[in-house]
Amino acid sequence: MKYLVGFLRIFIGIFFIISGLIKLNDPVGFSFKLQDYFAPDVLNLEFLVPYSLMIALFVVVYEVMLGVMLILGYAKRFTLWSLIAMIVFFTFLTFYSAYFNKVTDCGCFGDALKLTPWESFWKDIVLLILILIVFFWRKHLTPFFTANFRSIAVMISFVLCLWLGYHVLMHLPIVDFRAYKIGKNIQEGMTVPDDALPPIIEYQWKYEINGKEKTITNTSGLDPQPEGGTRIGVETDFIREPYEPPIHDFTIERDDQDFTEDFLTEEKLVVVIAYNLDNTEIEGFANIKKVTDEALKKGYKVIGLSASSTAETEELARKQKLNFQFYFCDMTTLKTIVRSNPGILELSKGTILQKLHWNDAEDFKLN
C-alpha cells in the first residue's frame, strides 16, 4: 500500500495540475461553461451568472493548488478532504449532465480535450476511487522535503497561478486549442472532408404481430414488413454520429443577407468582435479605433461582428466614431473565436493571421 499510495499521490496530483492549468489558460472559456450549468433549464442558478468568471478562477486555481499540495504532502488532512469534496461535486455535475443530457461538454479539459458527459462521469468515478484509496491509507502519505520548503513551494505556486490568471484575462490564452486559432482557415474548418465516416443509424421498427408487440432492429433503413405484422412506429438512434466540422455556426449577416463568402475571400480583412454590447468593455474601442482607422487608410476592409442588434451596434459606432459597419454572428461562435470583448483579428482569404485582445491592439501589425 505504501508504494500504491505513493504512485497515486503523484498521478492524482499531476492530473489535477494539468486539468487546472488547461482551464486556467482560458478562465473566460470555463466561465462560459459554468454559465451553461447555471442556466434555468439545468441547475437554475441564474443569480450566479454575474459571478461566473470569479467562480471559474477560484475553482481552477484551487484545483491546481490541490494537485501541488497532494504531491508535496502539504496540509494532508485539509488537502484530502478538499479533493474528495471537489471530485464529489464534479461527479454530481457530470452525472446530472449525462443523465438529463443538459450540458454536452463538461469543460473538464477546456477545448484541449472534448469528453462526452458519460465519459466525464466515469472519469470522475475512477478519480473518486483513487482519491478514496489515498484517503483511507493516508498514513502512508509522507510529506516530501522540509516544512519550510513545502510552505514556500505552495506559496510560489499560488502566486504563479494568480499571475497566469491575470495575464490571460488581460491578454488572451497562452495556448489556443480552438478551431479559430492563428493559422487556421475558416472555410476549411467548415468543410466536411471526403474521407469523413458516414453516420450509422439504427432503426427500431415496432410491429404488432399476433397480438404482441415486437421490435425489429436494422441499420439499412428498409422497412422489414414482417408477414402478418401491423407497424406501430419506428424510432432511430445514432450508432455513429454524423461528422461535424470544427466550425459549423460561423456566418456574417446583415439585413437578412449572408455576406460570409464575400468577406472570407477578402485578402486584407480586419474583423472587430464584440459578441455582446451589454457587457463589452467600452474603453477598449479607443485602441480598436486607432487600428481600424489606420487599416482603412492602408486599403484593408474593416467590419465588426456582434450578436447584438443592428440598432445597438450602430449606436456604438456613432458614439465611438467607428468607421465601419457591424454584421451579425452567433454569440457562442463569437465567444469561441476570441476571449476578448472587444477583440480584433486579421483574415486573409479566411485564414486567421492575427488575433489580439483589445489591450494589445497597438501591437496589431498592418502592411
Side-chain angles (χ1 to χ4, degrees):
M1 289 307 302
K2 177 181 178 181
Y3 294 110
L4 178 61
V5 169
F7 169 77
L8 291 180
R9 74 187 292 184
I10 302 297
F11 176 81
I12 297 169
I14 291 175
F15 188 95
F16 269 72
I17 291 171
I18 292 174
S19 174
L21 285 177
I22 288 174
K23 293 192 286 288
L24 187 56
N25 173 68
D26 185 12
V28 174
F30 186 52
S31 73
F32 293 153
K33 187 57 60 180
L34 290 180
Q35 290 174 25
D36 291 341
Y37 282 109
F38 297 154
D41 60 336
V42 185
L43 297 178
N44 195 22
L45 299 173
E46 282 189 289
F47 70 94
L48 291 177
V49 170
Y51 311 103
S52 57
L53 181 56
M54 182 174 63
I55 296 171
L57 282 168
F58 173 79
V59 170
V60 296
V61 170
Y62 197 36
E63 187 175 0
V64 173
M65 294 307 302
L66 287 178
V68 172
M69 292 160 64
L70 178 63
I71 291 174
L72 292 174
Y74 180 86
K76 183 168 64 174
R77 185 178 180 83
F78 170 81
T79 300
L80 289 173
W81 276 111
S82 296
L83 283 169
I84 291 173
M86 179 171 279
I87 198 62
V88 167
F89 174 70
F90 281 125
T91 302
F92 161 75
L93 280 186
T94 53
F95 174 77
Y96 184 88
S97 298
Y99 187 80
F100 294 102
N101 196 30
K102 291 292 185 180
V103 181
T104 56
D105 173 23
C106 71
C108 303
F109 296 98
D111 292 291
L113 178 63
K114 299 289 188 180
L115 297 177
T116 67
W118 282 117
E119 288 172 341
S120 300
F121 170 71
W122 289 115
K123 177 263 296 177
D124 288 340
I125 289 292
V126 171
L127 273 176
L128 176 60
I129 293 171
L130 298 182
I131 291 170
L132 287 175
I133 291 173
V134 176
F135 177 81
F136 286 118
W137 281 274
R138 58 188 177 275
K139 66 180 180 181
H140 299 296
L141 188 63
T142 53
F144 289 141
F145 312 111
T146 65
N148 286 339
F149 182 90
R150 292 195 300 274
S151 298
I152 292 171
V154 168
M155 183 57 65
I156 290 174
S157 299
F158 181 63
V159 171
L160 288 176
C161 284
L162 294 182
W163 172 84
L164 178 58
Y166 177 80
H167 178 79
V168 297
L169 287 177
M170 293 298 102
H171 304 281
L172 289 178
I174 295 173
V175 182
D176 192 346
F177 296 104
R178 286 157 288 153
Y180 297 93
K181 66 182 179 182
I182 292 173
K184 289 290 186 179
N185 184 276
I186 293 176
Q187 296 100 313
E188 292 177 2
M190 293 191 290
T191 304
V192 177
D194 294 334
D195 59 350
L197 295 173
I200 298 177
I201 304 174
E202 181 182 79
Y203 295 82
Q204 300 164 3
W205 305 91
K206 293 185 178 180
Y207 274 86
E208 183 179 319
I209 303 174
N210 298 326
K212 295 182 179 180
E213 185 176 312
K214 183 177 180 180
T215 300
I216 302 173
T217 302
N218 64 30
T219 57
S220 66
L222 298 176
D223 190 337
Q225 298 180 343
E227 185 177 347
T230 302
R231 194 172 81 181
I232 300 172
V234 60
E235 295 179 0
T236 59
D237 285 316
F238 279 110
I239 297 176
R240 182 168 63 211
E241 297 281 344
Y243 176 85
E244 184 176 70
I247 298 174
H248 50 271
D249 289 321
F250 182 86
T251 57
I252 302 175
E253 302 173 352
R254 186 179 173 91
D255 299 328
D256 296 323
Q257 294 186 58
D258 191 337
F259 297 91
T260 309
E261 187 174 347
D262 297 336
F263 285 120
L264 291 184
T265 56
E266 288 279 349
E267 286 195 26
K268 299 172 71 174
L269 178 68
V270 172
V271 181
V272 175
I273 291 178
Y275 66 83
N276 184 349
L277 298 190
D278 291 337
N279 56 14
T280 190
E281 298 180 81
I282 294 295
E283 64 271 24
F285 286 97
N287 290 348
I288 295 290
K289 177 174 169 52
K290 293 177 185 177
V291 175
T292 54
D293 286 351
E294 185 65 23
L296 289 167
K297 290 178 184 177
K298 293 189 174 183
Y300 284 81
K301 183 74 175 180
V302 180
I303 64 170
L305 286 179
S306 178
S308 296
S309 68
T310 300
E312 290 177 295
T313 56
E314 287 182 346
E315 179 67 10
L316 173 73
R318 184 187 65 79
K319 287 183 176 180
Q320 300 300 318
K321 299 179 180 179
L322 303 175
N323 294 321
F324 57 88
Q325 280 189 328
F326 275 87
Y327 293 76
F328 176 82
C329 185
D330 175 72
M331 185 184 296
T332 301
T333 299
L334 296 179
K335 287 179 176 181
T336 305
I337 294 173
V338 61
R339 303 300 201 203
S340 174
N341 186 17
I344 187 167
L345 290 77
E346 180 191 359
L347 276 70
S348 179
K349 294 185 177 180
T351 298
I352 300 172
L353 302 182
Q354 297 184 75
K355 180 163 64 170
L356 294 173
H357 191 285
W358 64 262
N359 273 326
D360 302 315
E362 293 181 355
D363 297 330
F364 202 85
K365 296 178 176 62
L366 296 169
N367 297 322

